[in-house]
């Protein structure tokens, strides 16, 4: 017999050895959820439950196989006979044994992703929808939208309104296409991936013989990651458990999950399934797993603070028996651009103690890492990215950069071909012909050759104009984005708003360069991937969206862009349920850290609409943190210092200290040595400032700066500088060209 008391902590033991009836195991991050399920399977087998009477439902086949394998090893005799796998694989067996009424005696086929896309295209062509309209979404996008509507159980129009507002003009046509696709499947005896769940629900509701047979066979149902179930999956679990018995209980169901890690609403997961489990299953016993085996105490205190402010939860408190741990750092960079430099510098420090694969940088959306990718690339720090493409790999980024390459080199054939490919009717042979004419340099020949493609000719003339003007990279890319936007909307109708966000990041990256060729070169200088390298390559730092990081852990985790409109995302600020999901996403991000957690909340974020950086508010999740939970680090003094270090140096230095912002127009670089450390700073020596005077004819007024926001001009400093008082930042001396004057 297994010594369960020795192998498990008190809460795990209670969950593993509980008797019959519904049980909800609320498993906090890093609390041994999988271990609990494994020992539960073994305990049931040791206490007379036959393996073929157990049903283990998971979200990946790999997870089920691992749990069953480990339980078998515990028992020393295997655990053959347990049905374990995903909801969909379990549901696949039901129409094979009990055919849906609409199918009759016909056989059926399960469609794969290629089949589904082809069917949508066929239905679309039959209805002549979107013919000649490049704004109509592609078939693959339609598949995604229809699946999302079914998994969320929302009208298609509502899904468009929430997630793809730019496709609302096509709402009626898409609804017609959805009906045609349903008829197509019924006519041809086909089931797609989503059909499996709904067909199983219908079977359990309408076929009493089938429902009874399944309930009698599976006396114990275990569900992993219950917080990730969608509405139909939760209903299937309730139907398998059966109606309430005489004891007021509704079946032997053990659901294991964490409401604080429910972060997949975008694909149909519904947090109410786990929150309302005790309501749906009368007599439920709730057991909380709160002892954490992953993270240090400072990390857990930050995670607990997030949970404490949640609108609704099971009110657990994570704890660890481990002592010590570095304090959680809260770093305030001056901007999202300087954030990239500070994070890169911090990674260099961490590499003294950790291997690269033990360090991760997490962010809310894939495009938030673009600045950091370039900074790491420049520093020669290899990385792998999960969740979103690396910026230089994205098609829309390549499109815009192709224009820039042609500005630098009009004979850049790959760039020429990429721009040409944006126009219908230009294939490889035509590209070769047009390129040859351009290379000849004869303007009359160019006009004749391009007569069939006036749009492409206009593009080439636009590029020539940019070449003549020789503008700065920022100004040039601003022009390129305005010119490219119609192409963006036509080429990527399904998600151009998201891609536009990524393109706008290019503008700020360009702001750090004085020369176009250097910027384009840095975009192109990707570290070559080695053939056959494993994704767990120990020589690379991990960059990941938080969604892609769920279930993983690292020794050191850095979470960036913790400001409003980024984390939480802008759309989450309009609906309470979306905001709470962002809180859970933040909780997941923090609990990925084993030993070191750094939080970055830049003071300003680039805004294309304002043609500069705007002061932004810290994420509400950061503002909620009490001072004793984090160690505050502020940018300045040529780097970042803790608040205590900053106060000590401020009292000992006799200079007026300014942030390091060479590219923002801050004034006068020099080196200042304090103690034994030389730190780059921007200063104005007192004796020099005394020599500077205002011109009486110039009126003192308010102005705006892209980093410091709105301020009041205190004095003019000929020939080209002013002294400005910025609320929250103090007095700054700035080049006038970097300010927008208010009348």
């Amino acid at each position: 017999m297994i010594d369960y008391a020795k192998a498990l902590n008190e809460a795990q033991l209670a969950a593993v050895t509980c008797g019959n009836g519904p049980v909800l195991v609320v498993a906090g991050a890093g609390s041994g959820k999988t271990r609990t399920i494994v020992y539960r399977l073994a305990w049931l087998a040791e206490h007379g439950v036959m393996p073929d009477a157990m049903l283990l439902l998971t979200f990946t086949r790999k997870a089920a196989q691992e749990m069953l394998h480990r339980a078998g090893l515990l028992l020393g005799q295997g655990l053959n006979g347990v049905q374990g796998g995903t909801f969909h694989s379990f549901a696949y067996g039901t129409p094979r044994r009990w055919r849906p009424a609409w199918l009759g005696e016909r056989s059926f086929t399960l469609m794969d992703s290629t089949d589904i896309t082809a069917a949508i295209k066929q239905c679309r062509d039959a209805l002549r929808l979107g013919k000649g309209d490049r704004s109509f979404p592609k078939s693959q996008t339609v598949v995604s939208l229809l699946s999302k509507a079914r998994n969320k159980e929302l009208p298609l129009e509502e899904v468009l309104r929430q997630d793809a507002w730019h496709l609302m003009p096509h709402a009626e046509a898409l609804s017609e296409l959805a009906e045609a696709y349903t008829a197509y499947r019924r006519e041809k005896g086909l089931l797609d991936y989503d059909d499996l769940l709904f067909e199983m629900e219908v079977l359990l509701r309408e076929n009493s013989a089938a429902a009874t047979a399944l309930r009698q066979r599976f006396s114990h149902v275990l569900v992993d990651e219950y917080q990730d179930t969608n509405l139909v999956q939760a209903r299937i679990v309730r139907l398998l458990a059966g109606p309430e018995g005489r004891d007021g209980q509704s079946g032997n169901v053990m659901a294991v999950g964490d409401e604080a890690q429910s972060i997949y609403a975008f694909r149909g997961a519904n947090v109410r399934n786990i929150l309302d489990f005790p309501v749906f299953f009368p007599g439920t016993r709730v057991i909380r797993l709160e002892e954490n085996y992953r993270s240090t105490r400072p990390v857990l205190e930050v995670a607990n603070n997030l949970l404490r402010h949640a609108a609704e939860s099971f009110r657990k408190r994570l704890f660890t028996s481990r002592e010590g741990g570095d304090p959680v750092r809260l770093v305030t960079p001056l901007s999202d651009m300087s954030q990239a430099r500070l994070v890169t510098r911090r990674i260099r420090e961490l590499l003294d103690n950790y291997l690269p694969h033990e360090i991760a940088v997490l962010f809310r959306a894939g495009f938030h890492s673009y600045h950091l990718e370039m900074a790491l690339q420049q520093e020669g720090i290899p990385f792998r990215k999960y969740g979103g493409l690396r910026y230089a790999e994205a098609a829309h980024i390549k499109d815009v950069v192709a224009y820039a390459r042609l500005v630098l080199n009009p004979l850049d054939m790959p760039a020429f071909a990429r721009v040409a490919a944006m126009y219908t009717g230009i294939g490889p042979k035509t590209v070769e012909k047009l390129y040859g004419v351009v290379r000849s340099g004869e303007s009359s020949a160019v006009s004749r050759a391009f007569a069939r493609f006036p749009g492409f000719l206009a593009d080439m003339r636009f590029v020539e104009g940019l070449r003549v003007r020789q503008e700065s990279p920022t100004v040039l890319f601003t022009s390129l984005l305005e010119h490219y936007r119609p192409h963006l909307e036509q080429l990527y109708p399904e998600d151009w708003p998201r891609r536009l966000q990524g393109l706008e990041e290019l503008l700020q990256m360009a702001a750090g360069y004085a020369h176009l060729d250097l910027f384009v070169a840095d975009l192109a200088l990707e570290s070559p991937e080695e053939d056959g390298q494993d994704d767990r390559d120990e020589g690379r730092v991990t960059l990941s969206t938080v969604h892609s990081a769920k279930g993983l852990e690292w020794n050191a985790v850095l979470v960036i862009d913790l400001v409003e409109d980024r984390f939480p995302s802008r759309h989450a600020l309009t609906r309470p349920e979306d905001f709470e999901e962002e809180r859970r996403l933040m909780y997941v991000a923090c609990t990925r850290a084993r030993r070191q957690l750094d939080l970055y909340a830049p003071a300003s974020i680039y805004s294309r609409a304002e043609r500069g950086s705007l002061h932004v508010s810290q994420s509400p999740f950061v503002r909620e943190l009490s001072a004793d939970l984090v160690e505050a680090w502020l940018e300045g003094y040529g780097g970042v210092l803790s608040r205590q270090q900053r106060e000590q140096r401020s009292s000992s230095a006799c200079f007026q200290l300014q942030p390091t912002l060479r590219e923002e127009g801050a004034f006068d670089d020099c080196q200042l040595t304090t103690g034994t450390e030389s730190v780059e700073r921007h200063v104005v020596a007192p004796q020099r400032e005394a020599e500077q005077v205002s011109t009486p004819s110039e009126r003192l007024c308010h102005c705006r700066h892209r980093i410091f926001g709105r301020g009041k001009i205190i004095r003019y400093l000929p020939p080209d500088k002013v002294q400005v008082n910025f609320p929250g930042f103090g007095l700054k001396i700035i080049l006038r060209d970097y300010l927008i004057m208010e009348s």
Side-chain angles (χ1 to χ4, degrees):
M1 297 287 288
I2 300 168
D3 189 344
Y4 293 94
K6 183 178 180 180
L8 305 167
N9 65 36
E10 185 177 348
Q12 291 171 339
L13 181 64
V16 166
T17 61
C18 65
N20 291 334
V23 179
L24 174 62
V25 180
V26 181
S31 63
K33 168 182 69 69
T34 300
R35 183 180 185 85
T36 301
I37 296 175
V38 167
Y39 275 82
R40 174 64 173 175
L41 290 167
W43 188 87
L44 289 173
E46 282 194 340
H47 287 75
V49 179
M50 297 302 294
D52 61 1
M54 302 181 206
L55 173 62
L56 173 63
L57 296 174
T58 63
F59 278 84
T60 66
R61 184 165 47 187
K62 180 180 178 181
Q65 290 173 342
E66 179 189 350
M67 291 175 187
L68 293 174
H69 175 69
R70 287 173 56 181
L73 291 178
L74 282 177
L75 293 167
Q77 59 186 27
L79 198 56
N80 297 325
V82 175
Q83 182 156 348
T86 65
F87 276 89
H88 291 85
S89 63
F90 173 62
Y92 175 67
T94 55
R96 295 179 70 239
R97 182 174 177 185
W98 296 283
R99 293 183 177 279
W102 61 266
L103 192 60
E105 295 302 315
R106 293 179 296 161
S107 60
F108 75 93
T109 305
L110 181 64
M111 306 169 75
D112 62 20
S113 58
T114 303
D115 298 331
I116 296 169
T117 304
I120 289 291
K121 185 178 186 307
Q122 189 171 340
C123 293
R124 172 182 168 175
D125 291 344
L127 294 170
R128 302 181 65 81
L129 295 176
K131 191 172 180 63
D133 182 359
R134 297 188 69 174
S135 70
F136 197 87
K138 297 175 182 176
S139 297
Q140 195 167 357
T141 302
V142 176
V143 171
S144 176
L145 290 170
L146 298 186
S147 180
K148 184 174 291 188
R150 296 181 74 193
N151 280 285
K152 289 188 172 186
E153 300 187 29
L154 291 173
L156 180 58
E157 186 172 345
E158 181 61 24
V159 170
L160 295 177
R161 187 175 292 109
Q162 290 182 12
D163 301 331
W165 54 265
H166 58 291
L167 296 177
M168 281 297 292
H170 302 297
E172 185 176 346
L174 289 171
S175 296
E176 184 181 359
L177 181 53
E179 293 176 4
Y181 173 55
T182 299
Y184 178 95
R185 300 196 310 280
R186 291 293 180 96
E187 177 189 341
K188 295 175 170 53
L190 300 171
L191 294 177
D192 67 14
Y193 194 65
D194 297 322
D195 284 330
L196 293 173
L197 298 180
F198 291 100
E199 290 296 341
M200 181 162 197
E201 181 189 11
V202 170
L203 177 81
L204 290 169
R205 288 191 186 281
E206 300 181 359
N207 189 326
S208 58
T212 300
L214 288 169
R215 289 170 191 153
Q216 289 178 344
R217 176 182 173 185
F218 299 113
S219 63
H220 287 77
V221 179
L222 292 84
V223 188
D224 185 27
E225 303 284 13
Y226 198 77
Q227 78 281 349
D228 292 338
T229 55
N230 62 19
L231 292 172
V232 67
Q233 288 167 332
R235 292 196 298 270
I236 287 172
V237 173
R238 296 202 296 273
L239 289 166
L240 284 171
E244 292 181 40
R246 294 179 182 176
D247 56 0
Q249 295 179 341
S250 52
N252 299 322
V253 177
M254 175 177 281
V256 183
D258 183 2
E259 88 290 347
Q261 297 188 69
S262 179
I263 60 173
Y264 295 118
F266 67 91
R267 65 188 188 200
N270 195 312
V271 70
R272 295 245 55 94
N273 290 343
I274 189 169
L275 289 173
D276 294 339
F277 188 92
V279 177
F280 292 133
F281 294 86
T284 290
R285 181 180 179 186
V286 178
I287 301 173
R288 295 169 175 82
L289 305 185
E290 298 173 297
E291 183 170 0
N292 180 282
Y293 295 94
R294 175 189 300 157
S295 305
T296 59
R297 185 171 299 168
V299 173
L300 296 181
E301 287 304 315
V302 168
N304 286 328
N305 187 83
L306 286 163
L307 295 184
R308 190 162 54 248
H309 289 86
E312 191 174 5
S313 74
F314 285 105
R315 302 304 173 196
K316 56 187 170 293
R317 182 174 181 81
L318 301 179
F319 68 92
T320 180
S321 58
R322 297 167 58 189
E323 296 295 331
D326 292 335
V328 174
R329 288 188 174 198
L330 173 58
V331 184
T332 306
L334 287 165
S335 69
D336 49 345
M337 179 172 283
S338 61
Q339 171 183 251
R341 295 195 295 270
L342 296 183
V343 171
T344 302
R345 189 181 307 169
R346 177 64 171 153
I347 289 173
R348 281 286 187 204
E349 295 173 2
L350 292 170
L351 286 171
D352 290 337
N353 299 312
Y354 304 119
L355 294 172
H357 75 281
E358 296 176 325
I359 302 170
V361 182
L362 305 183
F363 33 85
R364 175 64 182 82
F367 70 88
H368 291 170
S369 69
Y370 287 176
H371 303 303
L372 178 60
E373 291 175 46
M374 181 170 285
L376 291 173
Q377 186 174 294
Q378 291 169 340
E379 287 293 312
I381 299 176
F383 64 89
R384 285 189 180 276
K385 181 176 178 181
Y386 301 93
L389 290 171
R390 293 173 69 158
Y391 64 86
E393 295 173 352
H396 52 293
I397 301 294
K398 288 184 175 182
D399 289 346
V400 173
V401 172
Y403 283 106
R405 287 170 55 176
L406 288 174
V407 172
L408 292 168
N409 175 13
L411 298 181
D412 184 330
M413 177 56 173
F416 182 87
R418 186 166 193 95
V419 174
M422 297 179 197
Y423 293 91
T424 303
I426 303 182
K429 291 184 178 179
T430 305
V431 168
E432 291 281 355
K433 178 182 177 182
L434 294 175
Y435 179 78
V437 173
V438 170
R439 188 172 184 178
S440 72
E442 298 179 11
S443 57
S444 59
V446 169
S447 298
R448 289 194 302 272
F450 279 77
R452 291 173 48 210
F453 312 106
F456 188 26
L457 178 60
D459 268 2
M460 293 300 98
R461 288 175 175 167
F462 169 73
V463 167
E464 179 61 29
L466 293 178
R467 188 182 304 115
V468 170
R469 292 199 295 272
Q470 296 186 340
E471 295 166 325
S472 69
T474 304
V475 175
L476 182 138
F477 272 90
T478 299
S479 299
L480 282 178
L481 260 60
E482 292 171 354
H483 178 82
Y484 175 71
R485 179 159 175 169
H487 288 300
L488 179 73
E489 295 181 11
Q490 284 192 344
L491 293 170
Y492 311 103
E494 64 281 358
D495 64 347
W496 67 261
R498 179 185 62 80
R499 292 176 186 262
L500 182 61
Q501 287 182 299
L503 285 172
E504 290 176 351
E505 294 293 308
L506 268 178
L507 293 181
Q508 190 178 4
M509 288 191 281
Y513 291 79
H515 303 287
L516 178 63
D517 60 331
L518 293 178
F519 179 48
V520 172
D522 274 349
L523 286 171
L525 288 174
E526 293 286 345
S527 301
E529 302 288 344
E530 297 179 19
D531 292 337
Q533 247 175 348
D534 190 273
D535 282 347
R536 295 167 295 181
D537 181 9
E538 295 188 356
R540 297 175 185 272
V541 171
T542 298
L543 307 186
S544 177
T545 61
V546 183
H547 284 103
S548 297
K550 186 173 180 292
L552 304 176
E553 57 189 73
W554 295 269
N555 281 335
V557 170
L558 298 81
V559 187
I560 63 173
D561 277 344
L562 290 173
V563 296
E564 286 185 358
D565 286 357
R566 289 208 166 186
F567 203 158
S569 62
R570 181 173 303 172
H571 82 275
L573 299 176
T574 60
R575 299 200 312 165
E577 57 267 37
D578 291 338
F579 180 79
E580 286 304 309
E581 175 145 334
E582 294 288 306
R583 177 186 300 283
R584 298 192 292 269
L585 198 62
M586 180 67 178
Y587 169 82
V588 169
C590 293
T591 54
R592 300 309 95 197
R594 297 191 192 105
R595 302 179 185 174
Q596 182 68 56
L597 175 63
D598 287 10
L599 309 175
Y600 287 78
S604 63
I605 293 289
Y606 179 80
S607 169
R608 185 180 177 225
E610 297 291 332
R611 295 186 180 273
S613 290
L614 293 179
H615 181 73
V616 291
S617 298
Q618 286 183 331
S619 167
F621 310 135
V622 172
R623 296 200 301 267
E624 290 170 356
L625 296 174
S626 57
D628 61 327
L629 294 181
V630 295
E631 184 179 80
W633 289 70
L634 307 172
E635 184 181 8
Y637 297 78
V640 288
L641 297 178
S642 68
R643 190 180 298 278
Q644 182 179 6
Q645 290 172 318
R646 188 179 181 90
E647 290 171 353
Q648 290 173 348
R649 293 198 177 188
S650 294
S651 63
S652 63
C654 61
F655 293 96
Q656 177 184 345
L657 300 170
Q658 304 288 357
T660 303
L661 284 174
R662 182 183 294 110
E663 71 276 13
E664 298 299 337
F667 176 54
D668 199 16
D669 289 344
C670 74
Q671 290 289 324
L672 175 64
T673 302
T674 302
T676 59
E677 183 181 2
S678 179
V679 186
E680 182 183 342
R681 302 183 183 166
H682 293 278
V683 304
V684 178
Q687 67 272 18
R688 181 171 179 182
E689 184 177 349
E691 299 170 358
Q692 299 167 338
V693 295
S694 298
T695 303
S697 61
E698 294 189 283
R699 183 171 58 88
L700 301 180
C701 64
H702 285 84
C703 61
R704 292 193 67 84
H705 184 270
R706 60 187 296 188
I707 293 294
F708 304 120
R710 190 170 187 265
K712 183 175 182 180
I713 295 175
I714 303 301
R715 69 179 65 186
Y716 288 87
L717 307 173
D720 57 359
K721 304 176 185 71
V722 291
Q723 186 178 37
V724 187
N725 183 24
F726 293 101
F729 292 96
L731 293 174
K732 307 292 179 187
I733 293 178
I734 305 289
L735 291 168
R736 292 179 63 178
D737 288 346
Y738 285 84
L739 296 172
I740 300 174
M741 301 297 177
E742 295 185 0
S743 56

